Amino acid sequence: MSKVIISCAVTGAVHTPSLSDYLPITPAQIADQAVAAAEAGAAILHLHARDPVDGRPTPDPQVFMQFLPRIAERTDAVINITTGGGISMSLEERLQGALTAEPELASLNMGSINFSFHGLAARPRVWKHDWEEPYIRATEDGIFRNSFKDIRQILERLGQGLGARFEFECYDLGHLYNLAHFVDAGLVKPPFLVQSVFGIMGGLGADPECVMAMRQTADRLFGKDYVWSLLAAGKHQMPTVTLGALMGANVRVGLEDSLFLGRGQLAKSNAEQVLKIRRILEELGMEIATPAEARATLQLKGRDNVAF
Ligand code: KMH
Ligand code: ZN
């Protein structure tokens, strides 16, 4: 059995500061939590930036550059920059962080979907910032746009242009077929990382049948050319990634995907979630991949070739 690569998605653009006091916001908080997650066993750190003052997701490359070097000097974990950004960002904005940092790995969302989390604003709460409640509620009417042209441009600019590889985020079976189109077109070369996403409202549910369907479809389309990983949102996070790991997948955890450690228990840090999944995997007899092993598996360009 090969070793399991743990990714940690440290802050994201779904959750807002009022939902958990433990969500990292400032560059120092993002850096500290990312480094601690790596020390806990995460080989890959998936990163978004937030406005240091009000916690709003930001595409500003200067904010990325306030935490990327701080992380890089303290850990050799692979740094993976989002190109999904946050709701209402243009494609150009979404690309700014990765174009500036030239990372080894960047996320790439493989289709347009309804990506909704308006349920997070369902119950009354005291909001720390005015932007949070409308931001969350607006997702009921939002579309997360990732057209074929958008995807092609990201592959050309970041992949062919800057040597990045991708975390191909697939929320539905059709997204695997979209990826197959780009493999056939020669824009995606093996080995490529398929991050299958479960439990987002607008995408596949976190049922075992869906996990199996994703796996079987990816096997059929890509054979041995792909490296499989999965994440699941909210309460599905730990059970579903454990199921996936038992089926041979790599796993992603982190506060971007769930604010919780267990039922009704907020995670106090990203590292807590990494330690939990690590404990489960090791109890089941699996070994955890180091950053060097993740780089070798994914054939990444290496830390010497990034711009931070
Ligand atoms: N929040 C995740 C389900 C991205 O950064 O490109 C999706 C995500 C998107 O990670
Ligand atoms: Zn993300």
Side-chain angles (χ1 to χ4, degrees):
M1 194 184 282
S2 61
K3 296 186 181 179
V4 181
I5 300 170
I6 301 178
S7 290
C8 182
V10 173
T11 191
V14 168
H15 298 122
T16 68
S18 300
L19 301 179
S20 171
D21 288 340
Y22 307 111
L23 186 69
I25 304 292
T26 65
Q29 290 168 344
I30 291 172
D32 287 347
Q33 285 220 27
V35 170
E39 287 168 351
I44 299 177
L45 300 165
H46 169 115
L47 297 168
H48 293 238
R50 289 182 182 267
D51 183 313
V53 176
D54 68 4
R56 191 194 297 261
T58 176
D60 186 345
Q62 290 181 353
V63 180
F64 277 93
M65 287 314 219
Q66 284 174 40
F67 57 76
L68 293 176
R70 293 193 202 190
I71 298 171
E73 72 193 18
R74 291 161 66 194
T75 173
D76 68 340
V78 175
I79 289 173
N80 171 8
I81 309 262
T82 182
T83 66
I87 61 167
S88 81
M89 290 182 201
S90 67
L91 182 68
E92 217 45 54
E93 288 174 325
R94 284 163 49 178
L95 282 172
Q96 282 177 17
L99 287 173
T100 304
E102 304 183 18
E104 294 176 79
L105 200 60
S107 73
L108 181 36
N109 295 269
M110 290 310 294
S112 300
I113 56 167
N114 295 334
F115 188 133
S116 187
F117 42 95
H118 60 279
L120 291 176
R123 76 180 167 82
R125 65 169 76 235
V126 178
W127 298 98
K128 291 180 188 167
H129 307 285
D130 289 348
W131 67 270
E132 296 180 69
E133 188 178 7
Y135 179 87
I136 293 172
R137 287 195 188 282
T139 63
E140 186 183 11
D141 195 31
I143 294 172
F144 184 28
R145 181 198 150 123
N146 298 284
S147 69
F148 281 103
K149 187 174 174 185
D150 294 341
I151 295 168
R152 177 176 58 73
Q153 288 188 0
I154 296 174
L155 288 169
E156 288 171 351
R157 294 170 69 183
L158 282 177
Q160 292 183 318
L162 297 173
R165 281 191 170 272
F166 297 95
E167 176 197 20
F168 290 106
E169 306 220 19
C170 296
Y171 305 72
D172 219 328
L173 295 181
H175 297 177
L176 296 175
Y177 287 85
N178 296 350
L179 177 55
H181 161 78
F182 288 106
V183 174
D184 291 345
L187 276 170
V188 175
K189 302 263 191 265
F192 47 86
L193 176 63
V194 173
Q195 185 70 267
S196 41
V197 180
F198 300 93
I200 296 286
M201 190 174 186
L204 272 182
D207 310 300
E209 291 80 359
C210 293
V211 177
M212 183 57 86
M214 192 67 99
R215 160 79 191 271
Q216 288 175 332
T217 307
D219 280 352
R220 192 167 63 248
L221 292 173
F222 308 129
K224 294 197 179 319
D225 286 348
Y226 82 108
V227 176
W228 186 32
S229 181
L230 81 173
L231 71 90
K235 66 183 179 198
H236 302 295
Q237 183 183 58
M238 291 293 166
T240 306
V241 302
T242 302
L243 171 68
L246 286 167
M247 293 167 63
N250 301 284
V251 299
R252 172 171 135 176
V253 293
L255 300 190
E256 170 166 347
D257 302 335
S258 170
L259 293 172
F260 292 88
L261 193 62
R263 200 184 165 91
Q265 185 191 1
L266 285 173
K268 292 198 174 63
S269 67
N270 280 274
E272 255 194 353
Q273 288 185 347
V274 173
L275 286 172
K276 177 165 178 169
I277 193 62
R278 179 181 185 159
R279 202 161 56 236
I280 292 169
L281 299 179
E282 288 179 342
E283 287 287 341
L284 292 169
M286 298 175 211
E287 287 183 75
I288 304 305
T290 63
E293 289 164 339
R295 281 190 175 88
T297 299
L298 297 170
Q299 295 181 19
L300 302 180
K301 66 179 178 176
R303 178 63 79 70
D304 291 345
N305 298 307
V306 301
F308 52 86

